Amino acid sequence: MKNKILQSFDEAVADIPDGSTVMFPGFGVGSPQNLIAALNRQGAKELTGISNGHGGTTGRVDVGTLIEAGQVRKMICAFTAPTHPSRITPFVQKYNDGEMEAELLPQGTLAERIRSAAAGIGGFFTPASVGTELAEGKEHREINGRTYVLEFPLHADYAFIKAWQADTFGNLQFRLAQRNFNPIMAMAAKTTIVELENEIVSVGELDPDKIHVPGIYVDRMVIIPPDGIWETGP
Amino acid sequence: MPDLEDKPRLDREIIAMRVAKELPNGGYVNLGIGIPTLVSAYLAPGQVVFYHSESGVLNCGPLAEEGEEDINLINAGGQFLQPVPGMSYFGSADAFAMIRGGHVDVTVLGAHQVSARGDLANWMLPQRGVGNVGGAMDLAAGADDVIVAMEHTDRQDHPKIVEECTLPLTGKGCVSLIVTDLAVVRCTPDGLVLEEVAPGWTAEEVQELTAARLMISPDLQEYQL
């Protein structure tokens, strides 16, 4: 069996080339901070990020760290404004300066586009955003008396995942609200890299009924060392 | 007409208290950020509501006490939750399947503007150039009932209930009820119906601070708490 366990985050992200599309999960919690810090050290540029938010509001490592370093060319996300108007995030600065592009999506559309990529779906119709500027230019269709817009799958080259526990096969478990975008992003990317909060257990030690992401989707795993980055909440 | 700007209005807690009366017993409810977040504190004795959070939690309970927060247990507003029996956890795709699929009975949202036809604008102020759509468009499209809880006018005292929204829309014709610090207004196919006014306020005064025509309900009454 292929060994999916790597010893360092730097090794896990070493081959990510410039121009890659990378998925970053997290919704307050569940953010793969150690992988993001490693990609920041690695220095890949011209990245497209797919994420719920654009980071940069908490002072901690998140996708905003890569944006601030000038590594990201485009963000596809559901939040483009800082939560407080007085705070100018790295994203807002670069967006206003014309250095970055952004595609803003309803959060549910973002999630379903990722899930569609994971599941091999070519597109889907959603009622969210109908009648708003986010639906402009998109194909509309009336189905059973209701209007929907056509949305396409969002694929990625890499997904960075934060999980609670795994076995050596790469079966993953999450804890509480840590799950958010993690499972669908793990499923949607060509290469899925996981950072783990706990030791990797032997195959058979996790209850097969309680696996949130089966190992078929997982390529690389690294355990967060005691001196790594640990989440402190939103 | 007296100077309405200085006339006392209801506070945010009272708005939340009024909205709480609208939540169906046993219903699944999603509360937005701001005044909507306050609603959960005002359920009647015996009133049971199951709160849904886009962060992937169903049956959210009260906020965690200081010192007892669990890093991984938060609501969509980033507040720490207490673990309670009957909670379930799920990912974002499921959280939004619940919303778009019509499984959430009521959502309570804040708003920048609501139009005479029940259009909602709540995700973007163009002068900021960027916006936070978050889950609002999915909620506007998917929840059975959209209740707006907001101040009746903005900080410059401009009406937030308007004939046509001038700010970017979140959804069209989606709002069913507007609860403000001055009034309760129902959105109907025929237009906006003023059903309740704050104590000390008249229908004419509320109309004065509303930029869309209000039909006065034959059963117009004082704000019901």
Side-chain angles (χ1 to χ4, degrees):
Chain A
M1 193 172 78
K2 181 178 177 256
N3 177 31
K4 300 180 178 181
I5 305 169
L6 302 181
Q7 296 311 310
S8 79
F9 292 104
D10 291 320
E11 182 188 356
V13 304
D15 64 348
I16 298 180
D18 290 356
S20 298
T21 298
V22 185
M23 289 176 165
F24 303 97
F27 188 152
V29 294
S31 171
Q33 291 173 291
N34 293 277
L35 286 164
I36 294 170
L39 188 58
N40 183 224
R41 290 191 294 272
Q42 191 257 38
K45 292 186 184 58
E46 295 292 308
L47 302 171
T48 296
I50 301 174
S51 174
N52 186 36
H54 66 270
T57 58
T58 61
R60 296 193 285 267
V61 172
D62 59 21
V63 68
T65 309
L66 303 176
I67 293 171
E68 189 166 16
Q71 294 177 265
V72 184
R73 181 183 54 80
K74 179 179 181 182
M75 282 301 295
I76 301 171
C77 57
F79 293 88
T80 52
T83 43
H84 195 276
S86 66
R87 299 180 73 165
I88 297 294
T89 56
F91 166 80
V92 171
Q93 190 68 54
K94 290 190 189 297
Y95 182 81
N96 289 343
D97 293 347
E99 292 171 21
M100 267 188 75
E101 298 169 56
E103 180 177 355
L104 183 64
L105 293 170
Q107 196 175 142
T109 300
L110 175 66
E112 195 63 17
R113 287 182 64 181
I114 296 164
R115 202 201 67 82
S116 293
I121 302 297
F124 62 93
F125 286 95
T126 177
S129 85
V130 169
T132 77
E133 63 184 57
L134 297 195
E136 284 169 16
K138 293 179 178 173
E139 185 179 331
H140 287 60
R141 187 177 300 182
E142 192 174 307
I143 302 170
N144 291 328
R146 188 156 195 210
T147 307
Y148 297 81
V149 294
L150 175 61
E151 295 283 357
F152 295 102
L154 274 176
H155 296 275
D157 301 306
Y158 296 87
F160 287 0
I161 300 302
K162 168 71 146 283
W164 177 249
Q165 192 153 38
D167 64 19
T168 52
F169 182 62
N171 292 312
L172 304 183
Q173 292 179 334
F174 301 92
R175 185 173 172 274
L176 314 181
Q178 180 186 57
R179 210 179 307 184
N180 58 70
F181 284 86
N182 276 291
I184 49 174
M185 288 182 171
M187 294 160 64
K190 286 189 206 121
T191 300
T192 292
I193 312 175
V194 184
E195 63 176 67
L196 286 158
E197 294 195 282
N198 288 284
E199 295 297 315
I200 298 171
V201 300
S202 307
V203 167
E205 283 191 50
L206 298 181
D207 182 347
D209 262 339
K210 292 176 180 151
I211 302 298
H212 300 132
V213 170
I216 187 172
Y217 299 111
V218 173
D219 300 290
R220 304 173 191 168
M221 297 185 286
V222 183
I223 299 164
I224 306 173
D227 64 351
I229 305 168
W230 295 84
E231 275 183 319
T232 51
Chain B
M1 189 70 65
D3 191 353
L4 296 177
E5 280 182 36
D6 299 329
K7 191 163 172 166
R9 305 182 189 187
L10 300 172
D11 62 27
R12 294 155 59 91
E13 282 73 19
I14 303 287
I15 299 173
M17 211 178 284
R18 179 62 190 81
V19 170
K21 282 172 62 83
E22 296 293 322
L23 304 185
N25 203 16
Y28 295 96
V29 174
N30 183 295
L31 300 178
I33 308 289
I35 298 172
T37 306
L38 305 173
V39 170
S40 62
Y42 298 107
L43 295 188
Q47 185 183 9
V48 178
V49 169
F50 302 102
Y51 293 108
H52 168 278
S53 169
E54 301 98 298
S55 61
V57 183
L58 192 62
N59 197 18
C60 303
L63 298 183
E65 302 284 339
E66 204 174 326
E68 305 205 336
E69 300 95 341
D70 184 320
I71 294 296
N72 287 327
L73 189 49
I74 60 157
N75 64 20
Q79 297 167 301
F80 291 107
L81 296 169
Q82 275 182 35
V84 295
M87 264 181 170
S88 55
Y89 311 114
F90 38 85
S92 301
D94 290 322
F96 283 92
M98 290 176 198
I99 292 170
R100 281 190 316 264
H103 309 286
V104 172
D105 299 305
V106 178
T107 185
V108 184
L109 299 174
H112 299 319
Q113 289 177 329
V114 182
S115 82
R117 280 197 301 265
D119 298 348
L120 171 67
N122 79 346
W123 68 276
M124 189 192 201
L125 295 169
Q127 63 267 30
R128 289 179 64 188
V130 286
N132 284 331
V133 62
M137 287 187 184
D138 304 280
L139 284 161
D144 290 348
D145 270 320
V146 177
I147 298 176
V148 164
M150 66 176 188
E151 273 103 18
H152 207 87
T153 58
D154 68 16
R155 282 176 195 160
Q156 289 78 44
D157 224 25
H158 298 129
K160 293 172 75 170
I161 302 175
V162 293
E163 198 57 43
E164 292 281 352
C165 293
T166 53
L167 296 168
L169 290 185
T170 307
K172 289 192 100 156
C174 56
V175 178
S176 49
L177 191 74
I178 311 166
V179 180
T180 77
D181 50 355
L182 297 184
V184 177
V185 177
R186 191 166 299 278
C187 303
T188 76
D190 299 324
L192 301 173
V193 178
L194 180 63
E195 294 189 339
E196 299 173 22
V197 292
W201 285 75
T202 66
E204 292 70 29
E205 289 169 337
V206 171
Q207 177 68 76
E208 185 82 1
L209 293 174
T210 306
R213 195 176 74 82
L214 298 175
M215 294 179 281
I216 315 277
S217 165
D219 304 317
L220 180 72
Q221 52 188 345
E222 192 170 275
Y223 217 78
Q224 295 293 300
L225 293 174

